[in-house]
């Protein structure tokens, strides 16, 4: 989700208006049989955070053309993270791949990041969110 990169305009707007703070985080989990994304933040106004993040997601899916700069930024960030992991024996060992994923490894992932197009990302995101179920958990 390129709009949640810390350097993106959308992230900065949410941060500067106090909707999110430095505790905000997100992650995609993509496995062969299931995929999900989680968003998390410490806040005293969880309903406001949920409402604003939902608006950001809906706007992004309806007007993906607004995300071209964020997509380029996200690709550079992801590529940099992969390069950093290549400098760590432990990170390389954790990225060896398995039979179920065709033994994809960190080098394959780096190549795939470079090959990913904006159109492919938008199509995948729209399909993902069109079929998604949502759940909200607020821990007080």
């Amino acid at each position: 989700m390129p709009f949640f990169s810390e350097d993106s305009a959308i992230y900065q707007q949410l941060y500067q208006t106090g909707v999110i703070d430095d505790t905000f985080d997100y992650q995609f989990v993509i496995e062969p049989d299931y995929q999900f994304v989680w968003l998390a933040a410490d806040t005293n106004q969880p309903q406001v955070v949920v409402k604003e993040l939902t608006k950001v997601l809906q706007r992004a899916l309806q007007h993906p053309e607004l995300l071209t700069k964020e997509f380029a930024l996200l690709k550079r960030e992801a590529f940099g993270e992969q390069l950093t992991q290549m400098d760590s024996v432990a990170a390389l060992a954790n990225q060896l791949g398995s039979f179920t994923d065709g033994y994809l490894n960190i080098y394959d992932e780096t190549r795939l990041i470079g090959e990913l197009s904006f159109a492919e990302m938008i199509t995948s995101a729209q399909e993902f969110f069109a079929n998604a179920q949502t759940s909200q958990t607020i821990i007080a």
Side-chain angles (χ1 to χ4, degrees):
M1 289 189 292
F3 33 90
F4 291 135
S5 165
E6 287 185 15
D7 295 321
S8 75
I10 295 168
Y11 180 96
Q12 289 301 315
Q13 177 188 3
L14 292 170
Y15 188 87
Q16 291 171 3
T17 57
V19 173
I20 61 174
D21 61 15
D22 58 355
T23 65
F24 176 77
D25 199 7
Y26 71 97
Q27 183 174 5
F28 279 100
V29 175
I30 301 172
E31 295 294 333
D33 296 329
Y34 62 92
Q35 304 81 40
F36 63 89
V37 61
W38 60 257
L39 308 165
D42 291 339
T43 180
N44 292 328
Q45 300 177 327
Q47 288 79 13
V48 172
V49 172
V50 169
K51 178 182 167 193
E52 292 300 316
L53 293 178
T54 301
K55 283 179 12 184
V56 166
L57 289 169
Q58 289 172 342
R59 187 176 20 201
L61 293 170
Q62 292 169 357
H63 302 286
E65 67 280 0
L66 301 175
L67 300 175
T68 55
K69 288 181 185 175
E70 281 81 1
F71 176 72
L73 172 65
L74 183 68
K75 277 184 73 168
R76 288 191 303 272
E77 287 178 354
F79 191 74
E81 288 174 15
Q82 295 293 94
L83 289 177
T84 300
Q85 289 182 19
M86 288 179 190
D87 197 30
S88 164
V89 174
L92 288 172
N94 287 327
Q95 298 267 345
L96 289 177
S98 67
F99 176 76
T100 58
D101 66 12
Y103 296 101
L104 289 175
N105 59 47
I106 195 166
Y107 302 103
D108 298 315
E109 290 174 9
T110 303
R111 178 183 48 79
L112 292 170
I113 289 168
E115 293 173 357
L116 182 65
S117 73
F118 181 70
E120 290 169 322
M121 191 270 307
I122 293 301
T123 300
S124 296
Q126 289 172 334
E127 289 174 5
F128 177 85
F129 285 106
N131 297 309
Q133 297 177 1
T134 61
S135 172
Q136 300 173 20
T137 302
I138 299 172
I139 301 171

